[in-house]
Amino acid sequence: QSVLTQPPSVSAAPGQKVTISCSGSISNIGINFLSWYQQLPGAAPKVLIYDNTKRPSGIPDRFSASKSGTSATLGITGLQTGDEADYYCGTWDSSLSAVVFGGGTKLTVL
Amino acid sequence: QVQLQESGPGLVKPSGTLSLTCAVSGDSISSTNWWSWVRQPPGRGLEWIGEIFLGGSTNYNPSLKSRVTISVDNSKNRFSLTLSSVTAADTAVYYCARATLFGGNMGEKYFDYWGQGTLVTVSS
């Protein structure tokens, strides 16, 4: 049981848009800063978003994120088959004094 | 370019101790970054194990705290993980990662560099 809650899977057609939700609580998403990671099959995770909404250099603007209260959303537009991966949200939990992750969402591009 | 590389035994016996090392290049282990371990059981999600800062301060996952130690070797620019009393549930790909700070609080950091991961199997 993960501290942050994500849907197990989402799917959409190439070229379409998809959103992935991440729900937590006051002690994590509510007062700290969320990051999102993409994990391609057989690879290490890679950061897509940090500080709730910021993209590191090299991450295309097809990837965006928002946060409101104790929930956050990752959006991916112009879906490509290469976007098929597992996506994780993560943040610091001030009550646990620990980093917490969501359970991960598997994106399928149909 | 920052690079991290995990190394250690791929097989550990039940009740034994898992020991892994992460060699860091392109950054100093003494820099103002947090150095972490994250694991991923086969077919499952990411689980944070713990972190170390400036060679001294540590934070551990409460569910693993009694069995985990993270330490640094400044002379070799690397950090290590030991996990004691392992069971089959500890079988996972273990990643080392750097968490960079973008602000002054613990919640203001993210994992920007990861090792490739190493599979550790707990089995007799």
Side-chain angles (χ1 to χ4, degrees), chain A residues 2 4 8 12-13 17 21-22 25 36 40-42 46-47 50 54-55 58 63 70 73 75 79 88 90-91 99-100:
Chain A
S2 302
L4 305 181
K17 175 181 178 178
S21 62
C22 176
S25 64
W36 289 90
L40 295 170
K46 170 186 171 183
V47 63
Y50 72 99
K54 296 178 181 175
R55 284 177 286 106
F63 296 91
T70 59
T73 300
L79 278 172
Y88 294 90
T91 187
V99 172
V100 293

Side-chain angles (χ1 to χ4, degrees), chain A residues 38-44 81-87 106-107, chain B residues 40 95:
Chain A
Q38 177 194 60
Q39 186 177 34
L40 295 170
T81 56
D83 296 331
E84 287 203 332
D86 293 321
Y87 292 83
K106 182 177 183 60
L107 168 63
Chain B
Q40 185 171 35
Y95 295 100

Side-chain angles (χ1 to χ4, degrees), chain B residues 28-108:
Chain B
S28 169
I29 201 77
S30 301
S31 66
T32 54
N33 293 301
W34 286 86
W35 302 97
S36 295
W37 289 95
V38 177
R39 70 180 183 179
Q40 185 171 35
R44 300 184 64 182
L46 302 174
E47 180 182 32
W48 179 76
I49 299 171
E51 62 187 1
I52 191 164
F53 180 70
L54 287 177
S57 298
T58 53
N59 293 300
Y60 297 126
N61 186 322
S63 68
L64 299 170
K65 188 172 184 176
S66 63
R67 299 193 291 131
V68 173
T69 300
I70 296 176
S71 60
V72 298
D73 183 338
N74 290 297
S75 65
K76 296 185 178 180
N77 210 45
R78 66 187 190 188
F79 63 108
S80 299
L81 168 71
T82 60
L83 180 66
S84 62
S85 304
V86 297
T87 70
D90 295 309
T91 294
V93 174
Y94 285 75
Y95 295 100
C96 57
R98 187 185 85 167
T100 197
L101 288 163
F102 55 87
N105 299 318
M106 287 299 295
E108 296 176 281

Side-chain angles (χ1 to χ4, degrees), chain A residues 38 46-49 55-64:
Chain A
Q38 177 194 60
K46 170 186 171 183
V47 63
L48 294 175
I49 300 287
R55 284 177 286 106
S57 62
I59 302 300
D61 58 8
R62 298 190 300 109
F63 296 91
S64 64

